[in-house]
Amino acid sequence: MIPAAFDYSRPQTLEEAVNLLAQHGEAAKLLAGGHSLIPALKLRLAQPKTVIDIGRIADLSYIREQDGRIVVGAMTTHHAIETSALLEEKCPLLPEVARHIGDVQVRNRGTLAGSIVHADPAADWPAAILALDAEMETVGPDGPRVIAAKKFFVDLFQTALRSDEILREIRFPVTAKSVAYVKTVQRASGFAIAGVAVVVDAPRMTVSVGITGVAAKAYRATAVETKLAGQSLSAENMAAAAAKAANRVEPLGDIHASSEYRAHLAQLNTRRALVLAASRA
Ligand SMILES: Cc1cc2nc3c(=O)[nH]c(=O)nc-3n(C[C@H](O)[C@H](O)[C@H](O)COP(=O)(O)OP(=O)(O)OC[C@H]3O[C@@H](n4cnc5c(N)ncnc54)[C@H](O)[C@@H]3O)c2cc1C
């Protein structure tokens, strides 16, 4: 449980961090809250030659409304999101998801960007990132780049982020209150066995559904969305749509839940999240 030796740098600015990352390439790892990286170092699942601690870069932690969107800085903690009055008003799915993450210690240190870059298949944020169609703004040696949520999660623990890029901020739409996150929790860790985020856009009669914990990467349940597009959110319609929540995915099976059980939970939690979000419309 002792990490392999590594060099440690603590840049004060984003520019300095980008330069360090360019200099060390794949041999470097960024350190944010450390709640995923440090266990990986201790288990020697990650053995970087250099750890670049971005925790002291002052201007990476913020939540604000800008040009009609909500922008959240990479180093913003789960706790800051959970307790943000602005988010409660303008993007309530984010505090709702944050409340589901781990325990108070995890929420105090863990960051939004750290979680989504780590891309744990059982992490909570990816469901909301997908359901909200968030945009990830990165910065690297070639300047900034924007990655859409649908393209961000590539596979188990893999994202579209390049090894010389830093995720700088995440942008979300302003939404109504008609959102919900319903999760079946793995009791020992708090991670999701099946977590479903739903956004109901009542004026447009559309729903967006992001599902995490079920497959190797979080996904948009497009079959559910298509079935409900333009339909009234009656109990029958929502139940029929939710039955499609695990269509065209390969549910994971492990000691916590078989693949059949995960598929069942995806359907059940989708129905519950749809009912809850619709009741808030
Ligand atoms: C006991 C425990 C319980 C937990 N329970 C849950 C849970 O219920 N739900 C849940 O979703 N998560 C849970 N987590 C994970 C937690 O949310 C972590 O905080 C999160 O996964 C990683 O965030 P971090 O800031 O700690 O990142 P770190 O561990 O510092 O980094 C994680 C990875 O992201 C990279 N990275 C970090 N920031 C950036 C950036 N800005 N740009 C590019 N790369 C970056 C790092 O290089 C590293 O590869 C739990 C963790 C623990 C220890």
Side-chain angles (χ1 to χ4, degrees), residues 21-81:
L21 207 49
Q23 190 183 324
H24 295 285
E26 301 211 345
K29 270 276 179 202
L30 297 173
L31 176 69
H35 270 66
S36 295
L37 183 62
I38 290 178
L41 294 176
K42 287 184 160 187
L43 292 167
R44 301 204 177 195
L45 295 171
Q47 297 195 27
K49 290 204 164 45
T50 299
V51 168
I52 303 169
D53 184 351
I54 55 173
R56 303 294 169 99
I57 300 177
D59 54 359
L60 279 183
S61 177
Y62 51 85
I63 299 170
R64 53 182 175 242
E65 192 175 4
Q66 198 176 298
D67 304 327
R69 290 180 75 80
I70 299 294
V71 293
V72 181
M75 285 296 296
T76 306
T77 62
H78 310 316
H79 173 73
I81 294 171

Side-chain angles (χ1 to χ4, degrees), residues 26-179:
E26 301 211 345
K29 270 276 179 202
L30 297 173
L31 176 69
H35 270 66
S36 295
L37 183 62
I38 290 178
L41 294 176
K42 287 184 160 187
L43 292 167
R44 301 204 177 195
L45 295 171
Q47 297 195 27
K49 290 204 164 45
T50 299
V51 168
I52 303 169
D53 184 351
I54 55 173
R56 303 294 169 99
I57 300 177
D59 54 359
L60 279 183
S61 177
Y62 51 85
I63 299 170
R64 53 182 175 242
E65 192 175 4
Q66 198 176 298
D67 304 327
R69 290 180 75 80
I70 299 294
V71 293
V72 181
M75 285 296 296
T76 306
T77 62
H78 310 316
H79 173 73
I81 294 171
E82 179 187 5
T83 53
S84 160
L86 176 69
L87 292 180
E88 203 59 62
E89 183 58 30
K90 303 274 175 119
C91 197
L93 184 60
L94 298 180
E96 183 166 352
V97 169
R99 281 192 280 278
H100 282 267
I101 296 177
D103 52 32
V104 72
Q105 289 90 343
V106 173
R107 295 197 292 276
N108 265 326
R109 292 289 306 176
T111 65
L112 176 61
S115 175
I116 63 178
V117 173
H118 191 57
D120 189 312
D124 292 292
W125 284 125
I129 295 286
L130 286 166
L132 287 166
D133 269 327
E135 284 177 354
M136 272 51 71
E137 188 186 282
T138 72
V139 59
D142 303 329
R145 181 165 79 105
V146 175
I147 310 174
K150 278 182 189 164
K151 298 202 167 152
F152 191 77
F153 301 103
V154 173
D155 207 343
L156 197 78
F157 297 109
Q158 274 179 48
T159 70
L161 196 75
R162 291 197 286 259
S163 60
D164 58 359
E165 287 179 316
I166 298 178
L167 179 52
R168 174 159 67 187
E169 76 177 21
I170 301 96
R171 301 186 196 128
F172 301 94
V174 170
T175 72
K177 305 278 181 198
S178 46
V179 296

